[in-house]
Amino acid sequence: VVDLAVGGGDDLAATLIDHVVCQDLAEQILTRHANRLGAATLKLAHVARGHAATGLHNDLTPPDFDIKIEHVTPQHVVPAWDMKTLWVTNDLGDSLTPIDPRTGLPGPNVPVADPYNLYFPPDGRFAIVVAERLRRLDFRDPHTMALHDSVPVACRGVDHMDFTADGRRALASCEFSGHVIEIDVVAHRVTRSLRLDPHGGGPHSTPQDVRAAPDGEVFYVADMTAGGVHVIDPVAQGHRV
């Protein structure tokens, strides 16, 4: 993994801006699935609350519609690629909980190591479990969650990612080391790393959420330390902050 220096001349570039408003590719994909599955499937909105046995809360229905999931600490709620299942990531419980989006009922927990977050590439071939504590990305069967292979990452706090328009690459944030990494989704390997330094020698960056632009040409990375959003260009020359 190459750690790109400022002005290093490599082809992963970053620019820091104060504010960005954009529609991401995931929203476009969701709209297409919604049209296919029907509005009834999408009436429930599930929000993970990080307390064991508290589970999920549906903000669009009365409070007594809380979904109780025992022995988990939910982190994220992720729709499956085919939109037929909502997966709840329980990193401390080493499990994923499937929820039927039509009924809101949870199924049995599926044992999975350290699932802090979960993503599905645009082609739906794999599920990518972000194992933050274990410092790896696990490529799994998108239906059974059986492990296919693991990709180790050198940075600390890998947690969020998004994909290029063609789905062949992804950009993931590493919150605790102030990096973003590029993943070859086809070859299952980390190809490059970029350290974000919004203050030119000051406090290190803390990148979290990653979103692709509508055309998939650049990525937007939210940074709490910088108080802004990095624009990551995967093809431009140099590194600008």
Side-chain angles (χ1 to χ4, degrees), residues 6 13-14 27 30 40 51 53 55 83 94 109 112 128 131 136 141 149 159 165 172 175-176 189 197 203 217 222 240:
V6 174
E27 184 174 346
L30 179 61
H51 300 283
M83 303 298 289
D94 289 322
N109 289 345
V112 169
I128 303 177
R136 72 189 196 201
D141 182 280
D149 65 297
D159 46 22
E175 179 181 355
F176 304 138
R189 64 188 181 94
D197 186 3
E217 293 298 318
R240 295 179 295 115

Side-chain angles (χ1 to χ4, degrees), residues 1 4 30 57 61 65 71 87 121 126 128 141 154 199 210:
V1 178
L4 307 181
L30 179 61
H57 174 65
T61 57
F65 199 80
H71 311 299
W87 291 99
F126 291 100
I128 303 177
D141 182 280
H199 300 296
V210 179

Side-chain angles (χ1 to χ4, degrees), residues 125-146:
R125 184 179 178 187
F126 291 100
I128 303 177
V129 170
V130 180
E132 181 183 64
R133 185 181 70 252
L134 299 177
R135 295 192 188 184
R136 72 189 196 201
L137 303 174
D138 290 342
F139 284 73
R140 294 179 174 270
D141 182 280
H143 305 291
T144 67
M145 294 298 164

Side-chain angles (χ1 to χ4, degrees), residues 166-213:
D166 61 8
R168 298 179 63 87
R169 292 179 294 166
L171 192 79
S173 61
C174 297
E175 179 181 355
F176 304 138
S177 62
H179 288 77
V180 291
I181 57 175
E182 183 187 71
I183 300 104
D184 186 326
V185 178
V186 177
H188 297 190
R189 64 188 181 94
V190 175
T191 53
R192 290 178 293 179
S193 173
L194 172 66
R195 178 174 175 81
L196 302 174
D197 186 3
H199 300 296
H204 76 274
S205 174
T206 53
Q208 288 191 319
D209 286 326
V210 179
R211 290 291 183 267

